[in-house]
Amino acid sequence: MKFISVVSVPVSDQERAKSFYLDQLGFTLVAESTFGDDLRWIQVGIPDAQTSLTLVTWFDEMPPGSLRGLVIDCEDLDEQYRTLADRGVPFNGPPSRQPGGVFAILSDPDGNQLSLRQAGS
């Protein structure tokens, strides 16, 4: 094995989720296509990162909003927090020290929770 390439994020509305991840979080569109019976593959990612996210609607076992524990490392968490909060990204609170670094938890439109982390701070 080499690395994790794609993580599935369960969403209810792919267009709304795509807008959030691109416009508010600043991700880029990696791929978008249709497949199967009217299914869409929408893959977004942080520029220059190996791992990306696909915004999925087709896993019954993964209801929209059920993602927890995805951690995104940041060089300057305070700056990233302010930038994203100014773009209307909802956070559970300000950055706080936890085991493993300083974290700020944000939610996408479906309630999926992603943690921003600055290690070693």
Side-chain angles (χ1 to χ4, degrees):
M1 290 185 244
K2 292 170 51 177
F3 58 88
I4 295 170
S5 60
V6 179
V7 174
S8 295
V9 178
V11 301
S12 60
D13 181 326
Q14 288 178 304
E15 277 303 311
R16 180 179 70 173
K18 181 175 93 171
S19 290
F20 175 80
Y21 283 89
L22 298 182
D23 301 335
Q24 290 184 270
L25 290 186
F27 284 34
T28 58
L29 185 63
V30 175
E32 183 170 7
S33 61
T34 58
F35 67 99
D37 295 327
D38 298 321
L39 297 175
R40 290 177 62 209
W41 180 268
I42 298 176
Q43 187 175 351
V44 298
I46 297 168
D48 300 321
Q50 283 187 311
T51 304
S52 59
L53 308 177
T54 184
L55 308 173
V56 301
T57 57
W58 54 85
F59 292 125
D60 292 336
E61 308 81 23
M62 293 174 66
S66 63
L67 180 73
R68 300 289 184 274
L70 184 68
V71 178
I72 301 170
D73 276 359
C74 301
E75 287 185 24
D76 185 340
L77 179 58
D78 288 329
E79 179 184 338
Q80 193 71 70
Y81 173 80
R82 284 190 302 276
T83 298
L84 295 180
D86 287 347
R87 292 183 193 161
V89 173
F91 283 88
N92 290 2
S96 64
R97 180 167 299 289
Q98 305 292 327
V102 177
F103 290 82
I105 300 170
L106 64 91
S107 297
D108 75 4
D110 284 294
N112 292 301
Q113 292 184 353
L114 294 81
S115 297
L116 299 183
R117 176 182 82 136
Q118 184 173 338
S121 296

